[in-house]
Amino acid sequence: MKAVVYNGPRDVIVKDMPDAKIERPTDVLVKITSTNICGSDLHMYEGRTDFEKGRIFGHENLGEVVEIGNAVDRIKVGDMVCVPFNIGCGFCRNCEAGLTAFCLTTNPDPNMAGAAYGFADMGPYPGGQAEYLRVPYGDFNCLRLPEDAREKEHDYVMVADIFPTGWHATELAGVKVGDSVVVYGSGPVGLMSATAVNSSSPSPIRRGADKSGSSTQRVRPQKEQLPSDQNCTRQGKIHEHHPSVAQSSLESVG
């Protein structure tokens, strides 16, 4: 199969690699039809990690199931599935608690928790910027898509990483209806963070950029101005009288 392979800092090539295949009864084999390039891929591409030469990039993947292991029950051949970047087993303590990014079984390094496709220090798993992808624990890690998946696959592939990453930031920050929120970074994750915030808040989105070109997303009342009087001396009074002061900030730069 053809795949995008890391050949060193700022050097990637498309080359023939051994076909991905079923290796364990719980595996699913996916023919990739869409995949995103993540901003975090740049860390590896630029040589700022210990990503090994000869490995395949790609942890935001979507495609059609073409083969399943004999222990796979829920996922069927022909299903269109989105494959989120985390590889979880589904049964360890962390996975059962919903902390699939810190799965205790899928990374063979005893000092590491969590695994992902085609990512430095996240296990030996090849990425999905290739014609085929092996998905371990396919019943747990494949998200079966609706019937319009082929028509809207460029939308659904966002569920592999970009949208849930932005949305999860709002969950971790405890964003509530009516909160004012600052989103640092207006790349894809920042835009999804702002979208997630705006879906739960009546405040409009304002956009701006500083002198360095870094953008921010602000979700707050348009006409409200920051206070310049004595209320500035106490944070509590600012929040009490000036709701435009942010209750949360989301770092979405990567």
Side-chain angles (χ1 to χ4, degrees):
M1 67 178 185
K2 293 188 181 299
V4 177
V5 177
Y6 179 68
N7 197 42
R10 300 182 181 275
D11 182 7
V12 297
I13 56 176
V14 176
K15 62 182 294 187
D16 289 322
M17 296 291 285
D19 286 346
K21 61 183 181 180
I22 299 292
E23 298 180 14
R24 302 180 63 180
T26 50
D27 288 349
V28 163
L29 186 64
V30 175
K31 180 180 180 181
I32 297 296
T33 58
S34 290
T35 180
N36 292 329
I37 298 174
C38 183
S40 58
D41 287 335
L42 296 177
H43 301 310
M44 297 178 289
Y45 169 72
E46 294 173 354
R48 290 182 276 123
T49 70
D50 56 359
F51 196 63
E52 302 92 340
K53 293 182 180 180
R55 292 193 61 190
I56 301 172
F57 276 134
H59 60 269
E60 303 185 23
N61 308 304
L62 179 150
E64 180 181 353
V65 174
V66 293
E67 188 177 351
I68 61 174
N70 58 23
V72 174
D73 178 65
R74 186 177 62 86
I75 299 298
K76 308 298 183 184
V77 171
D79 285 346
M80 290 293 290
V81 296
C82 187
V83 185
F85 65 95
N86 289 331
I87 304 174
C89 65
F91 54 78
C92 72
R93 181 176 69 253
N94 285 350
C95 283
E96 289 186 340
L99 303 174
T100 55
F102 306 99
C103 177
L104 297 173
T105 70
T106 48
N107 195 323
D109 185 341
N111 298 313
M112 295 291 293
Y117 306 94
F119 209 89
D121 300 319
M122 298 292 283
Y125 304 97
Q129 290 176 19
E131 293 182 278
Y132 295 93
L133 176 70
R134 170 192 168 234
V135 180
Y137 300 107
D139 274 339
F140 185 72
N141 290 305
C142 288
L143 174 64
R144 185 191 289 118
L145 298 173
E147 293 182 358
D148 61 356
R150 288 178 173 81
E151 176 187 353
K152 298 180 179 179
E153 64 179 279
H154 293 166
D155 296 321
Y156 284 123
V157 73
M158 301 290 279
V159 182
D161 185 351
I162 298 299
F163 181 74
T165 299
W167 171 81
H168 193 55
T170 69
E171 291 292 298
L172 293 176
V175 174
K176 301 182 295 297
V177 172
D179 281 357
S180 295
V181 182
V182 179
V183 180
Y184 294 97
S186 58
V189 171
L191 293 174
M192 293 299 100
S193 297
T195 299
V197 169
N198 211 39
S199 69
S200 62
S201 171
S203 301
I205 297 177
R206 298 181 62 190
R207 301 182 181 180
D210 61 23
K211 293 181 180 179
S212 69
S214 297
S215 299
T216 62
Q217 297 284 334
R218 299 179 180 87
V219 181
R220 68 186 192 187
Q222 294 256 21
K223 298 181 180 179
E224 194 71 41
Q225 299 297 318
L226 297 181
S228 58
D229 57 19
Q230 61 183 352
N231 287 335
C232 288
T233 60
R234 293 187 62 189
Q235 186 176 8
K237 286 190 176 181
I238 292 176
H239 282 252
E240 180 181 352
H241 298 293
H242 299 275
S244 65
V245 174
Q247 283 80 47
S248 301
S249 62
L250 309 180
E251 190 279 296
S252 302
V253 177

